[in-house]
Amino acid sequence: MKKIQYSLTVKILTAILFVLFLSVAVVSTASSIYMADEGYYDPHSLSFFDTALCAQTTQSYADDIYYSYLYLSQRADPSTEDEFQLKQYQSKYAKENTNFFFTVTDEEENILLTNFEEQDYGTQKSYSYNHDNGMYDETYTLSAYVKKSITADDNYRTTYEIFNLLFSMRYISITAAALSALVALLLFIFLLCMAGHRKGEEGIVLSAQDKIPLDLYIAGIITVLLLLVNISISFFGMSYIVEVVYVMVCTIAVETLALALSMTLAARLKAGKWWENTVIYRLFHLYYKFSRYINKLICDVIANLPLLWKTVSIFTAYLFVNGFLVILLFSTHGEFFIFLLGLLFNMAALLGLCFVSLKMHKLKCGGKKIADGDYNSKIDTKYMFWDLKTHAESLNNIGRGMSKAVEERLKSERLKTELITNVSHDIKTPLTSIVNYVDLLKKENIENESAIEYIAVLDRQSARLKKLIEDLMEASKASTGNLTVNTARTDIVELLNQSVGEYIERFAASSLETIIRTPQKEVAILADGRLLWRVFDNLLNNICKYSQANTRVYLDIDIISSKVMITFKNISSYSLNITTDELLERFVRGDSSRATEGSGLGLSIAKSLTELQKGNFDLSVDGDLFKVVINFDSIT
């Protein structure tokens, strides 16, 4: 089937049928519009004498009477040829040879020429003509009458037959227009599908017309159309039949040209890169290649100059061109073209300066991103040149180097954490044995006082070591995120009160007064109650260890802008001469002498556990005032 539809014969026959059906559709549509405008679809009020056909014929006869027949009849000394033409007119407008009757009168209503004898007429019209006789203007009136029964064989007979034909086909033309348009559309789609295909060949094959540059092709079609319009002027004033025939020829020509253009466009679009087969594209491509060559030549020269000399050279060239344009402008006495050329040159220079500024801004933003810690950010060096490109590549290299350094540091931290976890696990096994054997020794009946003291020391220190190892393992898991977090709705007020209740005796032993300020209602957050209790436990344990005796401890819960703020405040018994960042580091303690018990891991663990639960942990020190603020999103 494809072999048949892609054959040249099928294409030609389909194209002929398309033009034929489209012509029928155009003619039928034009006829329907014309008849609708003339009232053909209202038969009760329509008469031939009311149509434009009748009016145009009457106007033509009236002009012929005035400009030819009347002129010949009024000549004082007619020639033999004039007499012959006059007889021809007399015969033409004899009542048995014409359907047109007339009476020509002057301003005094004197009859100058007539063939009207009170015959029955279907319509009557009057025309006025101005005549300059050399002394003054004179107005002639021509009364035209069209015979009621069109019997004579003249132009009225022709138009009357056309009228009857149109009237009889008024509904057929609508049907013909719709059907022809539908068939023409289907044929047009079929032709577009066949465009670019050739029998016996695969893929899209461009024909000779498809290889003509598209802009030249379109220009040729426009030229032919203008030529047809030009020729049509010479057909004005001819007979109605000639005008109709010429319009039909023009319609077919336009349809053929439109079809050819549509098919070549379809073939070019299917083949792809249709824009490359245009004269404009080729000229621009040639200009682009030439400008690239010149630009490369200039860039190679300038690229080998230092930045200062590049700037001086470009600015000197700019001043030189501007000076030349100013001299040229004065020498041509302000020629507009020179002024426009100078304006364009300076606009181009401004655009170039803006381009450099944009690239510098890109360098600035890229450097800021790297400075802010975004080491993976890369500056796009496309369209950059000279020192700008070199600087951008240097910044990219810095970013890569910093990113690599950060990766190495993270790797080192990870290895350190894993080492701590593994060592702690290895120490825990023998430590468990030590604790168990100390416990067994305590149960023995030992009477030696010194041995009892030694066992007590072993018991105390092994318990401390066990606590340290547990803290180490917990800190390691918290910092690496290896803890399971089971978040649920948690009443923070109740959890804080329970945690404080565990430390009432220790607060009393340390002479600390606790002041708790919380809302009376439930304050709910999304957290893991077990891990959050561990956070509170670490903070309250620190308060017991490091608070100044006989001071107050403030524990507050506030709701600020959908955030739940839990605040712990106490007065330190040691001088806090270290920063908050150092306090949050592992193995750092508030007493620099390390005289108290503790591992220095409490705050680090609390911070890691808080962040695991999507909360924020903020530590601040003001003199001896130690303050921790934990905040979570509140839920209703």
Side-chain angles (χ1 to χ4, degrees):
M1 184 64 184
K2 283 188 176 181
K3 293 181 179 179
I4 298 175
Q5 75 178 38
Y6 291 158
S7 68
L8 181 61
T9 305
V10 173
K11 287 184 181 179
I12 294 173
L13 288 176
T14 307
I16 293 172
L17 288 174
F18 167 75
V19 172
L20 177 62
F21 279 101
L22 185 59
S23 299
V24 172
V26 170
V27 171
S28 300
T29 303
S31 301
S32 300
I33 294 172
Y34 172 79
M35 287 189 287
D37 188 55
E38 289 293 314
Y40 281 62
Y41 296 100
D42 188 11
H44 298 293
S45 60
L46 180 66
S47 169
F48 167 72
F49 303 105
D50 300 327
T51 64
L53 290 171
C54 181
Q56 291 171 1
T57 307
T58 304
Q59 177 72 62
S60 176
Y61 275 125
D63 292 342
D64 186 48
I65 293 295
Y66 176 75
Y67 292 111
S68 298
Y69 191 8
L70 180 62
Y71 171 75
L72 291 172
S73 66
Q74 289 185 330
R75 294 198 68 167
D77 188 17
S79 64
T80 304
E81 184 181 352
D82 291 340
E83 289 177 353
F84 176 77
Q85 290 182 358
L86 186 59
K87 288 180 181 180
Q88 293 288 327
Y89 275 110
Q90 288 171 348
S91 174
K92 177 181 178 180
Y93 291 107
K95 63 180 180 179
E96 65 274 6
N97 296 329
T98 185
N99 297 302
F100 178 76
F101 302 105
F102 62 89
T103 299
V104 182
T105 59
D106 58 13
E107 291 181 349
E108 286 80 24
E109 298 187 357
N110 297 318
I111 297 176
L112 304 178
L113 188 64
T114 185
N115 72 343
F116 182 62
E117 297 178 356
E118 300 297 331
Q119 293 95 335
D120 290 337
Y121 56 86
T123 184
Q124 187 270 332
K125 290 184 180 297
S126 295
Y127 302 94
S128 295
Y129 296 93
N130 291 325
H131 175 66
D132 185 3
N133 61 8
M135 298 179 63
Y136 58 90
D137 290 339
E138 190 173 5
T139 302
Y140 291 160
T141 302
L142 190 151
S143 299
Y145 308 88
V146 182
K147 196 191 316 186
K148 191 170 185 180
S149 57
I150 307 298
T151 56
D153 188 11
D154 60 0
N155 290 346
Y156 282 108
R157 171 67 68 85
T158 304
T159 53
Y160 184 66
E161 290 174 353
I162 293 173
F163 164 74
N164 288 329
L165 178 64
L166 291 174
F167 187 78
S168 64
M169 297 182 65
R170 63 190 185 281
Y171 296 112
I172 297 175
S173 64
I174 296 175
T175 306
L179 292 177
S180 300
L182 178 60
V183 174
L185 177 62
L186 295 175
L187 291 172
F188 180 70
I189 294 171
F190 181 67
L191 285 169
L192 292 184
C193 293
M194 287 195 299
H197 294 283
R198 187 176 296 176
K199 183 180 178 182
E201 298 187 34
E202 294 294 330
I204 303 301
V205 181
L206 297 180
S207 63
Q209 75 158 353
D210 300 329
K211 295 177 181 177
I212 300 172
L214 184 59
D215 43 5
L216 286 183
Y217 193 95
I218 295 173
I221 290 177
I222 293 173
T223 302
V224 173
L225 292 176
L226 292 175
L227 186 61
L228 290 174
V229 172
N230 230 4
I231 295 173
S232 66
I233 297 173
S234 62
F235 282 86
F236 289 158
M238 292 190 177
S239 66
Y240 185 78
I241 300 298
V242 175
E243 289 183 357
V244 170
V245 171
Y246 179 74
V247 169
M248 286 298 300
V249 171
C250 288
T251 301
I252 293 172
V254 170
E255 291 170 356
T256 304
L257 292 173
L259 177 62
L261 178 60
S262 300
M263 290 194 68
T264 189
L265 282 175
R268 293 167 196 253
L269 289 172
K270 291 177 185 178
K273 296 185 178 180
W274 56 269
W275 57 88
E276 292 184 359
N277 188 19
T278 59
V279 174
I280 294 175
Y281 174 81
R282 291 173 184 176
L283 290 175
F284 271 106
H285 186 64
L286 185 64
Y287 169 75
Y288 174 72
K289 289 176 66 176
F290 177 74
S291 62
R292 279 193 65 184
Y293 173 76
I294 297 299
N295 183 58
K296 185 176 183 302
L297 185 63
I298 295 173
C299 289
D300 287 343
V301 173
I302 297 178
N304 294 317
L305 295 174
L307 180 61
L308 178 61
W309 284 108
K310 290 176 187 175
T311 308
V312 171
S313 300
I314 294 173
F315 186 70
T316 303
Y318 171 76
L319 288 179
F320 175 78
V321 175
N322 258 332
F324 175 75
L325 289 172
V326 169
I327 294 171
L328 199 60
L329 185 65
F330 279 107
S331 64
T332 56
H333 303 290
E335 182 69 32
F336 177 74
F337 174 75
I338 304 300
F339 171 76
L340 182 61
L341 189 64
L343 182 62
L344 291 174
F345 172 73
N346 282 280
M347 287 296 294
L350 178 60
L351 289 174
L353 189 61
C354 292
F355 176 79
V356 173
S357 298
L358 288 173
K359 296 303 175 185
M360 291 182 67
H361 179 70
K362 184 180 285 188
L363 288 175
K364 175 185 174 184
C365 293
K368 188 175 184 302
K369 286 182 179 179
I370 294 172
D372 291 340
D374 186 5
Y375 305 126
N376 293 321
S377 174
K378 301 297 177 188
I379 300 172
D380 185 9
T381 59
K382 190 176 181 181
Y383 303 120
M384 287 190 180
F385 52 87
W386 304 335
D387 296 78
L388 293 176
K389 187 171 184 177
T390 304
H391 186 51
E393 291 173 347
S394 299
L395 288 176
N396 287 338
N397 291 332
I398 290 173
R400 278 192 291 269
M402 294 293 291
S403 179
K404 186 176 180 181
V406 169
E407 289 177 3
E408 291 293 333
R409 182 174 179 184
L410 289 174
K411 183 179 179 181
S412 175
E413 288 290 330
R414 187 169 59 254
L415 291 173
K416 189 187 300 182
T417 302
E418 291 175 357
L419 177 63
I420 292 171
T421 304
N422 294 333
V423 170
S424 299
H425 188 272
D426 292 341
I427 294 174
K428 190 174 182 181
T429 302
L431 179 62
T432 303
S433 298
I434 294 172
V435 171
N436 291 335
Y437 280 110
V438 169
D439 189 54
L440 291 173
L441 286 172
K442 286 167 60 178
K443 294 177 181 178
E444 291 294 329
N445 189 14
I446 299 174
E447 296 180 356
N448 190 327
E449 293 295 331
S450 297
I452 293 173
E453 287 184 17
Y454 299 154
I455 291 171
V457 172
L458 285 173
D459 183 42
R460 185 171 62 255
Q461 295 301 330
S462 62
R464 182 180 177 186
L465 183 58
K466 182 179 179 181
K467 181 67 169 61
L468 174 61
I469 291 172
E470 288 174 351
D471 286 349
L472 270 173
M473 295 184 69
E474 188 172 13
S476 175
K477 290 179 179 180
S479 62
T480 56
N482 290 330
L483 284 174
T484 302
V485 180
N486 299 313
T487 57
R489 183 185 180 90
T490 304
D491 184 357
I492 196 70
V493 175
E494 182 180 351
L495 185 63
L496 181 64
N497 288 330
Q498 289 177 358
S499 301
V500 172
E502 297 285 336
Y503 281 85
I504 291 297
E505 293 180 3
R506 290 187 62 183
F507 284 153
S510 302
S511 302
L512 297 175
E513 180 185 354
T514 57
I515 299 175
I516 304 174
R517 292 180 294 192
T518 62
Q520 297 299 318
K521 60 180 182 178
E522 176 192 22
V523 179
I525 64 171
L526 199 62
D528 187 327
R530 179 178 58 84
L531 298 181
L532 193 56
W533 183 89
R534 184 76 172 91
V535 172
F536 290 169
D537 182 59
N538 283 2
L539 293 174
L540 294 173
N541 188 35
N542 275 1
I543 290 173
C544 289
K545 289 179 183 178
Y546 302 116
S547 291
Q548 179 71 38
N550 300 311
T551 58
R552 295 185 180 88
V553 176
Y554 294 91
L555 308 173
D556 301 333
I557 296 179
D558 299 301
I559 302 176
I560 302 174
S561 300
S562 74
K563 290 282 186 181
V564 177
M565 317 290 290
I566 307 107
T567 307
F568 295 78
K569 291 185 287 188
N570 67 288
I571 302 299
S572 174
S573 60
Y574 302 96
S575 176
L576 299 175
N577 54 358
I578 57 176
T579 64
T580 56
D581 290 336
E582 290 177 315
L583 280 172
L584 288 171
E585 289 291 331
R586 283 172 287 183
F587 306 108
V588 176
R589 288 153 60 178
D591 59 325
S592 55
S593 64
R594 307 183 71 87
T596 60
E597 293 185 359
S599 61
L601 294 169
L603 291 177
S604 176
I605 293 172
K607 184 175 185 299
S608 298
L609 292 178
T610 302
E611 291 173 351
L612 275 177
Q613 301 173 82
K614 309 300 182 184
N616 291 324
F617 188 97
D618 184 48
L619 171 64
S620 62
V621 174
D622 186 4
D624 292 335
L625 176 64
F626 185 88
K627 178 180 178 183
V628 173
V629 179
I630 301 172
N631 68 77
F632 288 91
D633 292 327
S634 67
I635 58 174
T636 56

